[in-house]
Amino acid sequence: MAVARTGSTGPYDLGQLRRGVVAIPRGQTAISRRHDSFLPWPVRPAAVLVLMATEDGETVTDVVMTERAAHLRRHPGQMSFPGGRLEPTDADPGAAALREAWEETALDPRRVELLGALPPTHLSRAFATTVVLGLWAGDQQLEPDPDEVASVQRVRLADVVDPSIRCSAEHPRGGRGPAFELGELFLW
């Protein structure tokens, strides 16, 4: 099976989440100068989809993540959210996140309600990434594209916020950052 669930259950109020996000900037295919003006190199816009599944349309139960294919040059085998760089055909970061999720997992974009986005953040030297939040009934079988994705995982939100699974990890290129141990999954 391509999709695996981990951990325990836990309800999260969708109304509270909806009040905490901002609208997706329509027509924004490049980040504003205020986000990258302090960097001495060009930064490209990217978007990732934090796809949250619900059981009843109002209670968030889990989030979809992908395990990157082992043969990829960058970040092989790492857990990630579906996403990638904005293409000229993408209307905005939400469109890019949905396109990437479709390419990576065969997610039907018509089954996703986009809730909003977080401001672009520099997750790497090359990209300013917009985190797009999406809601999904969780009723579609997701299939990884083997060219990009080894597996698709549904991780219980209650597990991700459980303080007992948090730790710190050292990046192979140096530096430390937050990490999560979820059974056999290691998120960092």
Side-chain angles (χ1 to χ4, degrees):
M1 178 185 254
V3 177
R5 289 177 180 250
T6 62
S8 61
T9 63
Y12 291 87
D13 178 43
L14 187 55
Q16 185 177 23
L17 183 63
R18 281 189 169 117
R19 291 186 294 277
V21 297
V22 298
I24 298 171
R26 296 289 173 207
Q28 178 183 340
T29 56
I31 63 170
S32 70
R33 291 296 304 165
R34 78 181 169 86
H35 293 292
D36 67 350
S37 61
F38 63 94
L39 298 174
W41 56 82
V43 178
R44 294 171 288 183
V48 296
L49 180 64
V50 177
L51 183 62
M52 299 170 289
T54 68
E55 291 179 355
D56 59 8
E58 289 300 318
T59 305
V60 177
T61 57
D62 51 70
V63 63
V64 174
M65 299 192 76
T66 59
E67 177 187 3
R68 293 176 52 84
H71 66 269
L72 293 176
R73 190 172 61 107
R74 295 182 187 255
H75 312 291
Q78 290 184 5
M79 297 302 296
S80 63
F81 293 111
R85 72 179 68 168
L86 271 70
E87 301 291 344
T89 56
D90 294 326
D92 53 49
L98 288 173
R99 175 186 50 76
E100 288 283 347
W102 174 76
E103 290 173 1
E104 295 175 16
T105 69
L107 173 71
D108 183 350
R110 298 170 298 183
R111 299 175 91 153
V112 178
E113 175 192 353
L114 295 182
L115 300 176
L118 302 177
T121 186
H122 295 277
L123 299 176
S124 74
R125 290 176 49 97
F127 294 99
T129 303
T130 299
V131 176
V132 177
L133 303 177
L135 189 63
W136 168 64
D139 56 353
Q140 177 192 347
Q141 178 69 33
L142 301 178
E143 295 295 332
D145 174 354
D147 289 337
E148 296 185 60
V149 175
S151 69
V152 179
Q153 305 285 330
R154 289 181 62 176
V155 179
R156 290 286 179 180
L157 199 53
D159 293 338
V160 175
V161 299
D162 179 357
S164 71
I165 61 107
R166 295 181 193 161
C167 59
S168 174
E170 187 168 337
H171 191 277
R173 293 186 183 168
R176 292 192 72 78
F180 306 87
E181 292 183 280
L182 289 161
E184 294 182 20
L185 297 179
F186 185 71
L187 312 177
W188 62 285

